[in-house]
Amino acid sequence: MRKMEGRKGRWTGIGLVTLAALIWGTSGPASKGLTNGGMDVLTMMFLRNSICAAAGALFFLIFYRSVFRVSGRQFLFIFAYGAFVVAGTL
């Protein structure tokens, strides 16, 4: 990751904290409205996590593509770990 330096980095940090506070503050009323509208809480959580995962993946795909590069050994570990987790939930 790049280190933020100087005045520009400070304003970027302030902007990101403000954005996080804004999103956090609107999540309560939004979830209350969706719940009152008949949406199941589990469905709401699934959609929220899916949208966040997709947005994060898109961000890293655009700006830090190297995050998705894995070696054969790493892929084998990820595959084995995933199979173990899926088998454990059955």
Side-chain angles (χ1 to χ4, degrees):
M1 292 268 185
R2 291 177 269 172
K3 183 178 179 184
M4 291 189 261
E5 295 179 7
R7 199 166 188 82
K8 183 179 177 185
R10 179 178 178 175
W11 285 108
T12 302
I14 291 171
L16 290 173
V17 167
T18 304
L19 181 64
L22 188 68
I23 292 171
W24 180 266
T26 58
S27 67
S31 64
K32 182 79 165 179
L34 289 172
T35 304
N36 289 342
M39 183 177 276
D40 184 34
V41 176
L42 189 60
T43 303
M44 191 174 9
M45 287 173 36
F46 174 77
L47 289 173
R48 181 185 66 189
N49 290 337
S50 298
I51 291 169
C52 290
L58 185 64
F59 173 81
F60 281 108
L61 191 63
I62 293 170
F63 294 106
Y64 300 101
R65 187 176 288 260
S66 64
V67 170
F68 291 104
R69 292 191 189 114
V70 294
S71 67
R73 186 174 179 188
Q74 290 170 330
F75 180 77
L76 183 63
F77 173 76
I78 292 168
F79 181 78
Y81 187 75
F84 178 74
V85 169
V86 168
T89 60
L90 295 177

